[in-house]
Amino acid sequence: MSNSKKTSQDVASLASQTLRDPNASAIAKSLAASALAQASTGKQTGADMETKAAKALQSDKYSETTKTLAGSVVSQSDKKR
Protein backbone atom coordinates (compact mmCIF):
# COMPACT_ATOMS: atom_id res chain seq x y z
CA MET A 1 0.00 0.00 0.00
CA SER A 2 1.12 3.50 -0.73
CA ASN A 3 1.13 6.28 1.80
CA SER A 4 0.95 9.95 0.89
CA LYS A 5 2.36 11.03 4.27
CA LYS A 6 6.10 11.15 4.77
CA THR A 7 8.31 11.56 7.83
CA SER A 8 9.26 15.21 8.34
CA GLN A 9 12.87 16.30 7.95
CA ASP A 10 13.12 17.04 11.70
CA VAL A 11 11.85 13.59 12.67
CA ALA A 12 14.04 11.92 10.04
CA SER A 13 17.06 13.70 11.53
CA LEU A 14 16.04 12.58 15.03
CA ALA A 15 15.61 9.03 13.74
CA SER A 16 19.07 9.08 12.18
CA GLN A 17 20.62 10.32 15.44
CA THR A 18 18.75 7.64 17.37
CA LEU A 19 20.04 4.86 15.12
CA ARG A 20 23.62 6.07 15.63
CA ASP A 21 23.23 6.36 19.41
CA PRO A 22 24.75 3.31 21.14
CA ASN A 23 22.67 4.05 24.24
CA ALA A 24 19.30 4.22 22.46
CA SER A 25 16.81 1.54 23.43
CA ALA A 26 15.82 -1.26 21.08
CA ILE A 27 12.30 0.15 20.71
CA ALA A 28 13.64 3.62 19.92
CA LYS A 29 15.88 2.16 17.22
CA SER A 30 13.02 0.10 15.82
CA LEU A 31 10.75 3.14 15.64
CA ALA A 32 13.57 5.23 14.18
CA ALA A 33 14.14 2.68 11.42
CA SER A 34 10.44 2.66 10.58
CA ALA A 35 10.28 6.46 10.52
CA LEU A 36 13.33 6.66 8.25
CA ALA A 37 11.89 4.06 5.89
CA GLN A 38 8.89 6.35 5.48
CA ALA A 39 10.93 9.54 5.02
CA SER A 40 11.40 9.30 1.28
CA THR A 41 9.17 6.46 0.19
CA GLY A 42 5.46 5.72 0.05
CA LYS A 43 5.86 2.92 2.59
CA GLN A 44 3.16 2.59 5.20
CA THR A 45 3.47 1.53 8.83
CA GLY A 46 2.81 -2.18 9.28
CA ALA A 47 0.31 -3.48 11.82
CA ASP A 48 2.98 -4.81 14.20
CA MET A 49 4.92 -1.55 14.19
CA GLU A 50 1.72 0.42 14.60
CA THR A 51 0.90 -1.59 17.74
CA LYS A 52 4.42 -1.16 19.12
CA ALA A 53 4.31 2.60 18.51
CA ALA A 54 0.86 2.96 20.09
CA LYS A 55 2.03 1.12 23.23
CA ALA A 56 5.10 3.36 23.45
CA LEU A 57 2.90 6.46 23.28
CA GLN A 58 0.71 5.16 26.12
CA SER A 59 3.58 4.24 28.43
CA ASP A 60 5.27 6.58 30.89
CA LYS A 61 8.58 4.70 30.73
CA TYR A 62 9.66 5.95 27.28
CA SER A 63 11.58 9.13 26.55
CA GLU A 64 10.29 12.12 24.64
CA THR A 65 12.48 11.08 21.70
CA THR A 66 10.92 7.61 21.60
CA LYS A 67 7.44 9.11 21.80
CA THR A 68 8.19 11.57 18.99
CA LEU A 69 9.30 8.70 16.76
CA ALA A 70 6.28 6.64 17.81
CA GLY A 71 3.93 9.50 16.99
CA SER A 72 5.38 9.81 13.52
CA VAL A 73 5.06 6.08 12.91
CA VAL A 74 1.46 5.96 14.13
CA SER A 75 0.49 8.97 12.03
CA GLN A 76 1.53 7.09 8.91
CA SER A 77 -0.45 3.95 9.64
CA ASP A 78 -3.41 2.52 7.76
CA LYS A 79 -6.45 4.48 8.93
CA LYS A 80 -8.70 1.46 8.26
CA ARG A 81 -7.07 -0.57 11.06
Side-chain angles (χ1 to χ4, degrees):
M1 292 192 144
S2 183
N3 184 10
S4 62
K5 293 184 181 179
K6 303 218 182 318
T7 301
S8 72
Q9 189 171 7
D10 288 344
V11 174
S13 178
L14 179 64
S16 177
Q17 292 171 9
T18 300
L19 287 171
R20 292 190 309 263
D21 182 354
N23 297 316
S25 66
I27 187 149
K29 288 189 175 198
S30 179
L31 292 166
S34 180
L36 270 183
Q38 296 168 28
S40 60
T41 67
K43 291 185 177 182
Q44 188 173 48
T45 302
D48 291 344
M49 187 56 66
E50 180 182 351
T51 299
K52 185 183 289 190
K55 287 181 180 178
L57 285 170
Q58 294 171 352
S59 175
D60 290 335
K61 75 177 188 175
Y62 295 110
S63 69
E64 185 176 328
T65 296
T66 300
K67 288 190 176 201
T68 298
L69 294 167
S72 177
V73 169
V74 165
S75 74
Q76 297 176 61
S77 64
D78 182 358
K79 301 301 179 207
K80 294 176 187 169
R81 278 200 287 263

